[in-house]
Amino acid sequence: MSRGLFRRSTAGGIRPIEIGRALIREIDANRTVDMKSRRVVPNVFVVRLNPDDHGSLSDLESALVTELVEAAKEYAKEEGYHLRGPVSVDRKSTRLNSSHLVISYAV
């Protein structure tokens, strides 16, 4: 499991598009090649946000998670990446500075 730290450059909290872009960066940054020469990428993600950002996105929880899962699957397919299982995304609140997010992943 690894973690990436991303920070939004302007005030106002994290926007869903920024989470999506960070997720795609994590996919690209953490691809590996398996014994069958397939490019394997993470398929289980946890997005950690500070409590304020987490709360501001709570109304979008279901739609946001669905969109992130679909974006990850579509991107993996477009790039020819192999997923070892279903894609899942979970959001958690944690102690971070405002407008920061951490994405943890697993294959």
Side-chain angles (χ1 to χ4, degrees), residues 62-106:
S62 179
L64 177 60
V65 168
T66 298
E67 287 295 319
L68 291 171
V69 167
E70 290 305 314
K73 290 190 319 190
E74 183 177 318
Y75 186 72
K77 182 178 179 181
E78 288 172 1
E79 295 297 316
Y81 294 156
H82 177 74
L83 298 163
R84 289 203 177 148
V87 175
S88 69
V89 177
D90 191 20
R91 283 188 331 120
K92 299 209 183 277
S93 179
T94 191
R95 290 184 185 177
L96 289 173
N97 292 332
S98 180
S99 300
H100 282 79
L101 70 118
V102 174
I103 297 182
S104 303
Y105 69 90

Side-chain angles (χ1 to χ4, degrees), residues 13-31:
I14 297 290
R15 295 180 300 162
I17 189 73
E18 293 166 319
I19 298 171
R21 288 177 181 154
L23 188 73
I24 296 302
R25 283 193 299 268
E26 285 298 301
I27 289 171
D28 281 335
N30 296 292
R31 66 180 179 248

